[in-house]
Amino acid sequence: RRSCRGGVVVCVSASDGANVKKADTLVVGSGVSGSSLAFALHQKGVNVLMTEARDRIGGNVITKQENGYTWEEGPNTFQPAPHIMRMAVDLGLKDDIVLADHTLPR
């Protein structure tokens, strides 16, 4: 199965070898690091192939929904550092950012 978002080719499963893709760069893993690297390279015009062993992208970060609520689960939270916020804006997610209330207990 393949999907394409923002022009980056994501190869989710190619165990049969039938779907051969040519790329300038191979990124192994679609977690935060792999996805960030693939996006940055794509923005510079590099033909990127990103592979993932699981049947979904995101690595250890996963979106869950229940009873009308949507939340993200993962290994850690992140601080809204300038480079992270810049990437969110570049991805068109500026209006979707919801920062946690830092006064709440963890």
Side-chain angles (χ1 to χ4, degrees), residues 21-101:
K21 300 286 181 199
K22 290 186 178 182
D24 298 322
T25 303
L26 173 66
V27 175
V28 178
S30 68
V32 172
S33 297
S35 295
S36 298
L37 175 61
F39 177 74
L41 290 171
H42 173 73
Q43 291 293 95
K44 293 184 180 290
V46 177
N47 182 8
V48 178
L49 174 64
M50 183 168 60
T51 63
E52 175 55 56
R54 298 179 187 175
D55 62 352
R56 63 175 183 78
I57 60 172
N60 291 325
V61 178
I62 185 169
T63 302
K64 295 201 174 180
Q65 296 180 329
E66 186 176 318
N67 298 326
Y69 294 98
T70 301
W71 69 94
E72 306 295 327
E73 291 185 2
N76 292 301
T77 59
F78 69 88
Q79 297 299 317
H83 64 281
I84 293 174
M85 300 306 283
R86 185 172 37 256
M87 178 166 283
V89 169
D90 290 347
L91 287 167
L93 300 173
K94 179 182 176 185
D95 295 332
D96 296 322
I97 296 172
V98 178
L99 299 175
D101 182 346

